[in-house]
Amino acid sequence: MITVVGSLNLDLVAPVPHHPVPGETVLGGDIAQHSGGKGANQAVAAARLGGAVTLVGRVGDDDAADVLVESARGQGVDTTHLLRTRDVPTGRALIAVNLSGENSIIVSPGANSRLTAADCEAAAEALRTARVTVLQQEVPDAANHAAARLAGGMVLYNPAPAVTGAVPPAHVDLLIPNRTELAALTGSAEPETIDEVTAAARKLSGADAVLVTLGGDGVLLLEGSASLHIPAFPVRPTDTTGAGDAFCGALAVALAEGNSLEQAARWASAAAAISTTRTGAQGSSPHRDEVAALLAGHA
Ligand code: RIB
């Protein structure tokens, strides 16, 4: 079983010719509404790949909450530990996607910011029995710290988005930052080359292993003193929103099934690559047969 503690957002997505700079107004295309939020995206990604997944989180008491809870449940996620919050809006994300598929996102956390350590304690059984627990940074640190403490299995921490002042749990099994998040964690400039990424990731403490997601440059796995660069699967991206979430969800499934970190990272890379070829965050994550087909084509 996999337990994801994290956010649920209603994503409002606008295609744009380019991302606006401060003070600029850009005319975009028609807006689309999708279920999102890093926690929900990761939970759905894992469920679509065959994982038995419980999601712990908070939504408001509004129409958006109904949409998000129903869409997670419809994908097979156990929503027993999704709590309603009075007088607070459900989380929302304003997303712009440019012609290369790159996104910029503003998150209004709403009810996500009300998730507490006590909420995680109420889900203690789901955390204790999970083979893998997955955490991100769109809910308060206190909730993440409680979840990490209560987790009976492996803890995956995705420090996304990079939040100034966020404090990861004292110890996690696997840390999964992207370049920006790695820079935020190390307090240095964004590393560019694989050597620079490796050097920066070696500075991190508090995790048994680190997997840095590098988009089109693949992923870097650091385990003890060993490092391994896994190139990306060549795809033509149309929307990279949620690719990191597809990666984390797939990783959780592969690790819960007993695969090695390297096997899990390759599988998750394939899932993330497929997700970038489709629009939206949650709906773009692949099913198991699609990941198998992409891997078989590159065997
Ligand atoms: O990682 C993508 C997600 O980030 C979106 O679904 C949005 O809701 C934000 O949480």
Side-chain angles (χ1 to χ4, degrees), residues 5-218:
V5 177
S7 58
L8 300 93
N9 297 325
L10 194 64
D11 292 352
L12 296 175
V13 185
V16 291
H18 63 270
H19 292 289
V21 296
E24 182 184 8
T25 298
V26 170
L27 287 184
D30 291 347
I31 204 131
Q33 180 175 294
H34 301 292
S35 298
K38 293 186 191 301
N41 295 346
Q42 296 181 9
V44 166
R48 285 170 88 133
L49 290 166
V53 187
T54 297
L55 177 59
V56 180
R58 274 197 177 269
V59 289
D61 199 10
D62 48 20
D63 291 347
D66 297 337
V67 170
L68 297 177
V69 174
E70 267 320 302
S71 96
R73 187 180 294 140
Q75 296 290 337
V77 173
D78 180 342
T79 57
T80 312
H81 293 288
L82 289 183
L83 304 168
R84 300 265 174 169
T85 320
R86 280 183 179 280
D87 302 325
V88 183
T90 292
R92 281 178 172 72
L94 310 177
I95 304 180
V97 180
N98 73 7
L99 299 173
S100 316
E102 294 163 326
N103 62 66
S104 61
I105 305 181
I106 298 170
V107 172
S108 170
N112 296 304
S113 66
R114 308 306 203 268
L115 191 72
T116 64
D119 295 338
C120 294
E121 275 151 24
E125 186 62 10
L127 288 157
R128 189 184 61 75
T129 55
R131 296 193 75 170
V132 177
T133 290
V134 193
L135 311 171
Q136 327 77 33
Q137 288 191 160
E138 279 184 347
V139 296
D141 287 348
N144 278 334
H145 293 184
R149 180 171 44 78
L150 292 161
M154 196 174 185
V155 177
L156 275 49
Y157 191 77
N158 174 215
V163 177
T164 309
V167 181
H171 186 83
V172 298
D173 295 284
L174 179 59
L175 193 61
I176 314 159
N178 65 15
R179 266 197 181 92
T180 311
E181 293 144 10
L182 178 58
L185 289 171
T186 55
S188 46
E190 223 172 90
E192 286 181 17
T193 65
I194 299 300
D195 284 348
E196 287 171 1
V197 172
T198 308
R202 285 207 189 286
K203 290 187 196 157
L204 297 174
S205 58
D208 291 342
V210 181
L211 248 177
V212 188
T213 57
L214 301 165
D217 292 332

